[in-house]
Each structure stands twice: as structure tokens, then as C-alpha cells.
Amino acid sequence: MKIEYDCIPCIYRQVLEASRMAVGENRKIIRDILNEYARMIPDITDDDSAPEIVTRIQNYIKQKTGKDDIYLEFKEKNIKAAQQYYPTIEKLVKSSEDPLLSALIMSAVGNSIDAGVSLNVDIEDNVKRAIENGFSHSDYPFFKEQLSNANSILIIADNAGEAVFDKLLIQELLKYKVTLTYAVRDKPILNDVTRKEAKNIGIDRYCSLISSGCDTPGIVLKNSSKEFLQIFSNADIIISKGQGNLEGLLDESRPIFYLLKIKCDVIAKRLNGGLKTGNFVFKYY
């Protein structure tokens, strides 16, 4: 998905947040980082995607501050919070009329834990609202139809906190006797889950775990590894989690199920169907 002009100030806010997380209130370093982003803006082309721009400036922040994993403490905090809710959500999912649908909804709730939009995340509130409202758009019936004939599924992971809830989705999908692969980020970028964190959460106990090869906060196929591209091309079903992955993949020809919380009007408009910011979505595109 090509970058929109509305993305530019959103990335600016993210750059400011990341800078403060890295150096506190060191105004000189923060100013240097903001100036660097400002210098980048004239070079942004209509062919760029938001994940690519974010990667360029985040790599500069890492270089400038000497911190390779700026969001480490934020990720650890949200993983811990998600783990505290996990037993309750597991019970809710397994006792529901349709555990797979419930697991998909809870996996989307986990997508609310996103530093790309806000560092202030109320997990409990997001869980309550998701249970009450469910998906604003759901292609679940078609997904079930596809699942009945599928042999392999690729889940493209997003942030570290939501990976805790993804375990429930993985367990439900495995009941359909499919081969399941879970793709994570190759290097730390924003609060996206890496292989190390996925292993600590225990994802690898349920399915195959691979790195996408990307260091972008969202899959960009031209930057992905051969291993990932092969699995991406051959999987019977792909579930892409989060807005960053959607931004990286939406213009690709491969049909994908997108599972996310819409976090800005740009994405709501692009997905059509009267969707709004804040909606939980499971959409085949």
C-alpha cells in the first residue's frame, strides 16, 4: 500500500515517542532526530510504503542513540499484561459456542497493543469492547469454507503483546489438522515480535516459527527472505495480523485474510464498507 500524506505527521509523532523512549528528555538528540526525519520528507515518493519510511527513520534513531531495541521495556510490559489476562481469555474462548471465532476476535484484541499508534494501551477495555461488539466486518464464513480444504496456514505476526493471544488462535487452527507457520520480524522494530520473544511466549511449542527476513514494521516482500517467500507463495491460507502488515501487503496480488483493529482513517477508507477507526476487522482482500 502506497504511503498517504496523512501518514507523514503520524510517523512524526511515532519518531518523537521513540526518541523520548531512547534518550528521555535529551532535547539536543531529539532535535537532531526530528530534523533528520524532516530532511527525509522531500525524498518520500508515491511508491514508498509507510513501513519502509518508518524503518529508515527508526534505523537512524538506533544509530543515533546506540539502542538497538528501543521498545524493549514497552514490549516486556505488554507481554506481561497479556499473560495476566491469558487464563481468563483462554477460558472465555474454550467455553464459547464457536471457539475458533472467539480466538480470532481475541487475536484482533491483541492487535490493539500497538506502539505504532499509542503507548497508552488499556488491554482490559479493549477486551470488553471486543466481546461486546465482535467484528465490524467479518469474512469468517468464507474463512471456514477455505479452512475445510486447507493443508497449510501462514500467520504473519505483528506486535509482541498480541503474540500471547495468538497462542489461542494457533491451538484452535491446529484442530483442523493443518501445518501452521508463524512468521515474526527478523530484527527489533517498534514493538513487533521477534523470534526471541515468540520463543519466550511459547509459540514454537505449537507451530513452526520463522523470521520473515524483514526489518520493517510490516511485511515488504522485496525485503523478505527466500524461506518466507516460499511459504508465502505456497500456503493455502494466509492470515496477516495488524495494520503494518496490511500496509505492506495490500497491493500484492496474493489473496489474504487481514485480522486487525483499524487504527486510522486512512486504513478505514482504504478497506471500504463503511468501516471506521477503532473497528475490529477480519477481511479477505
Side-chain angles (χ1 to χ4, degrees):
M1 175 179 162
K2 307 308 180 187
I3 194 167
E4 300 284 351
Y5 293 134
D6 303 80
C7 301
I8 293 173
C10 185
I11 295 172
Y12 175 91
R13 177 203 50 75
Q14 184 188 95
V15 169
L16 180 58
E17 282 185 347
S19 301
R20 284 177 170 156
M21 291 176 75
V23 298
E25 292 300 326
N26 188 320
R27 293 178 64 87
K28 182 182 184 307
I29 295 179
I30 292 174
R31 168 69 73 173
D32 288 344
I33 292 169
L34 294 178
N35 285 345
E36 178 63 21
Y37 178 58
R39 282 190 287 269
M40 287 174 54
I41 292 174
D43 295 326
I44 295 174
T45 72
D46 290 340
D47 290 327
D48 285 318
S49 66
E52 290 173 299
I53 301 304
V54 170
T55 301
R56 292 174 201 168
I57 189 60
Q58 288 292 327
N59 285 342
Y60 178 82
I61 297 172
K62 292 177 183 181
Q63 179 184 9
K64 184 73 176 178
T65 64
K67 294 189 176 181
D68 184 57
D69 196 349
I70 297 166
Y71 288 80
L72 179 61
E73 291 184 9
F74 179 77
K75 289 188 289 184
E76 291 175 343
K77 175 184 175 182
N78 282 315
I79 289 171
K80 183 177 180 180
Q83 287 172 331
Q84 289 174 343
Y85 284 103
Y86 185 86
T88 300
I89 292 175
E90 182 181 31
K91 183 177 180 180
L92 185 153
V93 166
K94 293 188 175 182
S95 63
S96 67
E97 291 184 8
D98 190 335
L100 177 57
L101 177 59
S102 296
L104 282 163
I105 292 172
M106 289 302 105
S107 184
V109 168
N111 186 241
S112 302
I113 309 168
D114 192 345
V117 176
S118 174
L119 296 178
N120 300 311
V121 180
D122 188 333
I123 297 176
E124 184 174 4
D125 179 66
N126 277 284
V127 169
K128 288 179 179 178
R129 287 194 294 111
I131 292 171
E132 291 172 1
N133 302 323
F135 288 119
S136 298
H137 177 95
S138 175
D139 286 324
Y140 180 66
F142 181 66
F143 176 74
K144 284 292 293 291
E145 180 183 324
Q146 295 291 302
L147 184 58
S148 65
N149 297 312
N151 293 313
S152 60
I153 297 176
L154 169 64
I155 297 177
I156 303 174
D158 190 34
N159 69 55
E162 76 181 84
V164 174
F165 297 150
D166 287 346
K167 287 195 296 183
L168 291 171
L169 175 58
I170 291 167
Q171 290 174 56
E172 291 303 321
L173 289 171
L174 289 176
K175 293 178 180 178
Y176 291 82
K177 308 300 181 184
V178 294
T179 299
L180 203 151
T181 303
Y182 192 80
V184 298
R185 301 292 179 247
D186 198 44
K187 299 176 182 177
I189 181 74
L190 299 185
N191 67 326
D192 290 3
V193 63
T194 62
R195 183 189 291 269
K196 178 181 178 181
E197 288 147 355
K199 284 186 174 182
N200 289 340
I201 291 167
I203 298 291
D204 60 320
R205 294 201 295 267
Y206 300 98
C207 63
S208 298
L209 186 63
I210 66 166
S211 293
S212 65
C214 289
D215 61 356
T216 49
I219 293 294
V220 177
L221 292 183
K222 65 184 180 182
N223 297 336
S224 300
S225 67
K226 291 182 179 179
E227 179 188 25
F228 174 83
L229 291 174
Q230 182 176 13
I231 294 172
F232 180 86
S233 297
N234 295 328
D236 294 323
I237 294 175
I238 297 174
I239 300 174
S240 169
K241 297 209 60 196
Q243 192 161 292
N245 286 322
L246 181 145
E247 289 174 304
L249 292 170
L250 196 58
D251 290 333
E252 301 295 336
S253 59
R254 183 73 161 87
I256 294 171
F257 288 93
Y258 292 99
L259 179 62
L260 70 151
K261 178 182 179 181
I262 298 176
K263 294 159 186 163
C264 70
D265 292 343
V266 170
I267 298 300
K269 182 178 179 181
R270 180 64 191 271
L271 290 178
N272 301 318
L275 294 170
K276 299 177 181 179
T277 299
N279 288 166
F280 291 100
V281 173
F282 185 49
K283 187 175 179 66
Y284 185 73
Y285 207 98

